[in-house]
Amino acid sequence: MILICDDDITVRTSLTLVLKRAGYEVVTASAQQEAVDFVRRNTPELILMDMNYSNTTTGKEGLELLAKIRIFRPDVPVILITAWGSINLAVQGIRAGAFDFITKPWNNLVLLNSIQTAIQLNKESSAEDTAEADSGSNLKMRPASGNALLSFRSNKIIGRSPLLLQVLNTVSRIAQTNAPVLITGESGTGKELIAEAIHANSNRSKNPFVKVNLGGIAQSLFESEMFGHKKGAFTDARHDRIGRFELANKGTIFLDEIGELDPVCQVKLLRVLQDQTFEALGDSKPRQTDTRIISATNKNPAEMVATGTFREDLFYRINLITIRIPALRERIEDIPLLVEYFAKKQAELNNLPEVKISSEAIGFLRKLPYPGNIRELKNLVDRAIIVSGKSEITDKDFKEQYTELPLTTEMRNNSVLSLEQVEKDMILKAIRLYGGNHSKIAAALGLTRQTLYRRLEKYDIRIEN
C-alpha cells in the first residue's frame, strides 16, 4: 500500500492512476493532518509526499509533515514531490531522512523505478534486521549469493578479505535494483570493476554498459558527448551523433571521475538524471532514456558539497547507495591472491612458463604502502616478471623494480595506516632528510642508534653512506 499526500486533487488523481496501473494499492490524503492520522494507525509500504502546498510558499509545512511521519514511521521510505525551482526543499527533505525526490511534471518511468527501488531496498534492510535480531549478532553483513560471487570472479575481482567481502555483499544486495550508486575510493582500487559487477548481476546485464570518463570531457563538448547532436548543430557537426545516454538505454551508464565535473555541466547532468529525458544538440524533440546511473570518484564528495564545488542536489541524486572501495593497504591479506593472479596473466600474455613467487617476495610486497593501490601492485608484478625473465621471482627482483611513490593527502586523510607502516614511513622520511647520517636520523626519530638499527633490519631498509 502506498500513501499519496498532496493537496492538489489533480496530482492525487494522476498519481493514483499511474500506481494502480502498476499494481499498487493506493490511499490518498489531501491534508497534512490526515496523513499523520493515517500513519499513526497504518504502516504503508511507501509514502509519496508533496513539498509545495498551495497555502504556503516556504515549504515549511512539507518539512514539518516529513518530520512527523518520520517520528511515527521511521522505517517507511518517503519520496518527495517538488517543483524544479524548489529542489532546495527536496534537498532539505533528503537531509531529514527522505529516500528520494522527483520533480513536477514527473516522468512515470522514473517515478515507478524510484518506488520499486525504495520498496525493494527497504525489504532487504528489514530482512537483514530480522536475521540480525534472530542471531543475536551485531554484524549486518550477510553472505553474497553463489551466483553473485561467480560473476564477481569473472569480473576479475580477487580477494577474500572481510572489507572486500563486505563490498561484494552490498553489490549482491543492490545489483538488481535501479538504485543509483556512488562508488568512492582511491585511484587504482578497482571502482570500475565494481561498477561492472553491479551491471553484470543486474536485470540489465544483457544491455549496454557504457563507460564515460567525465574528467576527460571538455565543458564545450559535454552536451555533444552525453546527449548527442544533429548534423549541422555546430560547425564541425558533419553527421548525426548518438550520445552516451542514448547508447546506454535499457542498460547502465558508468560516470567515472564525476568529481571532476564543472558546475555548468553538473546542472546539465542533473536535468537528465532527474527525469531521464534529454535533447540532442540541434534537436528540440526530447528523447527518453531508461538508464541506471553508477558514478565513481576518488574525491570526497561530501567535502566538495561543503566547499561549494559540487551541487548538493546532484550529490543526493547520484548517491542513493554509496560503496567505498578499501585501499590495498587495508586488505593486505589479499596481496598473495592478487600477485598469483597477475603473475599468471603476465606469463600467459608473454608465452612464459608458469612463474612462482617466493614467500620472501610476498613478505616484501605485504610491507609496501601502495599509494597506487592494486594498479601499482600489478605494474610492479608485471615489471619484475618481464625484466627478470626468471621462473621464480624473489624479493630481490621486486626490490630492483620498486619505486617508492609519495603518500598522497587523499591516502592520509581517508585511510587508517598500521602503526608499523607509519613507523616505516617516518624512518624513510628521516633518511631522505639526513642522508646517511645515522646519528641525525636516530635523533630526529627519538631513537638510540641501536634501536634505529633494529628498526632498519625489521623493515629491510638499507641506508646508503
Side-chain angles (χ1 to χ4, degrees):
M1 174 177 44
I2 294 177
L3 171 64
I4 300 172
C5 182
D6 197 300
D7 63 348
D8 187 331
I9 188 172
T10 304
V11 172
R12 294 198 307 274
T13 302
S14 298
L15 287 173
T16 298
L17 288 173
V18 171
L19 297 183
K20 283 189 173 180
R21 285 173 184 166
Y24 294 106
E25 180 185 352
V26 178
V27 177
T28 64
S30 60
Q32 294 96 318
Q33 189 57 49
E34 185 181 353
V36 172
D37 292 340
F38 181 84
V39 298
R40 290 180 71 172
R41 300 188 306 269
N42 305 276
T43 306
E45 284 187 287
L46 180 136
I47 298 171
L48 276 174
M49 198 191 88
D50 188 21
M51 294 292 287
N52 306 90
Y53 289 90
S54 56
N55 61 343
T56 178
T57 58
T58 64
K60 181 179 178 181
E61 290 187 17
L63 292 172
E64 288 178 348
L65 175 58
L66 174 62
K68 292 176 182 177
I69 288 174
R70 294 282 296 164
I71 290 172
F72 293 115
R73 293 288 178 254
D75 296 329
V76 174
V78 178
I79 295 177
L80 307 175
I81 307 171
T82 187
W84 173 262
S86 302
I87 284 183
N88 63 309
L89 286 178
V91 169
Q92 293 178 59
I94 295 292
R95 289 186 199 141
F99 176 84
D100 198 2
F101 67 91
I102 62 169
T103 57
K104 301 174 184 176
W106 62 83
N107 178 303
N108 287 343
L109 176 63
V110 174
L111 171 65
L112 292 173
N113 277 343
S114 183
I115 290 172
Q116 180 186 27
T117 298
I119 292 174
Q120 189 172 349
L121 288 177
N122 196 49
K123 286 180 178 178
E124 288 274 359
S125 177
S126 298
E128 283 189 9
D129 290 342
T130 300
E132 178 187 347
D134 291 343
S135 65
S137 169
N138 291 323
L139 188 65
K140 291 191 175 181
M141 183 177 69
R142 64 183 172 86
S145 68
N147 288 339
L149 288 177
L150 286 175
S151 295
F152 297 148
R153 177 62 63 177
S154 68
N155 278 281
K156 306 181 184 68
I157 299 175
I158 309 299
R160 301 184 187 131
S161 63
L163 286 177
L164 179 62
L165 290 180
Q166 188 172 0
V167 169
L168 300 187
N169 290 334
T170 299
V171 170
S172 71
R173 292 196 301 270
I174 59 93
Q176 295 189 29
T177 74
N178 286 306
V181 180
L182 175 63
I183 304 173
T184 65
E186 296 174 14
S187 297
T189 50
K191 295 186 289 294
E192 184 177 319
L193 292 182
I194 294 299
E196 289 176 350
I198 294 172
H199 176 74
N201 287 274
S202 74
N203 296 326
R204 300 171 179 265
S205 59
K206 295 182 180 179
N207 297 315
F209 178 76
V210 177
K211 308 173 189 177
V212 186
N213 182 352
L214 294 178
I217 299 178
Q219 179 181 330
S220 59
L221 299 176
F222 180 79
E223 288 182 278
S224 175
E225 285 287 333
M226 302 304 292
F227 312 136
H229 63 248
K230 298 290 289 184
K231 180 180 178 181
F234 49 88
T235 304
D236 293 327
R238 298 184 177 88
H239 51 77
D240 290 356
R241 177 188 175 91
I242 298 176
R244 305 296 183 88
F245 272 98
E246 192 167 354
L247 289 173
N249 189 39
K250 304 296 183 183
T252 302
I253 190 166
F254 176 51
L255 305 176
D256 198 10
E257 296 190 27
I258 196 167
E260 302 295 331
L261 203 58
D262 67 86
V264 173
C265 294
Q266 288 179 32
V267 176
K268 296 173 182 177
L269 179 60
L270 179 62
R271 282 282 187 176
V272 67
L273 300 190
Q274 182 61 47
D275 57 18
Q276 298 265 295
T277 60
F278 61 92
E279 294 178 4
L281 282 175
D283 188 4
S284 60
K285 181 181 178 181
R287 305 183 188 187
Q288 184 163 316
T289 181
D290 174 14
T291 307
R292 185 184 192 165
I293 311 300
I294 301 178
S295 309
T297 180
N298 58 10
K299 297 185 176 181
N300 186 322
E303 288 183 1
M304 294 180 67
V305 169
T307 57
T309 56
F310 200 84
R311 292 181 63 97
E312 188 173 10
D313 44 10
L314 178 58
F315 172 64
Y316 284 123
R317 178 57 66 204
I318 64 175
N319 84 325
L320 189 59
I321 303 292
T322 299
I323 298 177
R324 177 185 172 274
I325 311 302
L328 182 56
R329 62 189 170 278
E330 298 175 78
R331 41 178 290 219
I332 60 173
E333 56 266 62
D334 287 336
I335 287 177
L337 291 173
L338 288 163
V339 171
E340 178 186 358
Y341 176 81
F342 295 144
K344 181 179 179 181
K345 288 297 180 181
Q346 188 57 229
E348 291 174 352
L349 183 64
N350 290 282
N351 295 317
L352 299 173
E354 182 180 348
V355 176
K356 295 181 180 180
I357 310 294
S358 72
S359 59
E360 292 80 10
I362 294 295
F364 170 74
L365 294 175
R366 287 171 65 96
K367 296 177 181 178
L368 302 181
Y370 296 110
N373 290 290
I374 296 174
R375 187 181 296 125
E376 180 184 351
L377 174 63
K378 181 181 184 301
N379 288 340
L380 180 56
V381 172
D382 290 349
R383 287 199 309 272
I385 290 174
I386 293 172
V387 173
S388 72
K390 293 157 53 176
S391 60
E392 181 172 5
I393 308 299
T394 66
D395 56 336
K396 181 180 178 181
D397 297 311
F398 282 118
K399 290 172 184 177
E400 290 176 350
Q401 299 305 318
Y402 176 62
T403 301
E404 184 180 5
L405 299 176
L407 297 177
T408 64
T409 302
E410 168 194 8
M411 177 178 162
R412 294 189 183 279
N413 290 344
N414 295 341
S415 302
V416 177
L417 301 180
S418 69
L419 292 176
E420 286 190 347
Q421 186 59 60
V422 172
E423 184 177 56
K424 179 181 177 182
D425 292 342
M426 294 306 296
I427 292 173
L428 291 172
K429 183 177 180 180
I431 292 172
R432 287 193 293 269
L433 288 172
Y434 299 107
N437 191 319
H438 292 67
S439 297
K440 288 186 177 180
I441 294 170
L445 296 169
L447 305 174
T448 65
R449 286 175 62 105
Q450 290 74 19
T451 303
L452 173 62
Y453 295 146
R454 288 196 295 271
R455 294 293 192 276
L456 295 175
E457 183 179 359
K458 175 183 178 180
Y459 298 120
D460 196 20
I461 298 174
R462 293 182 177 84
I463 299 178
E464 300 295 335
N465 292 311

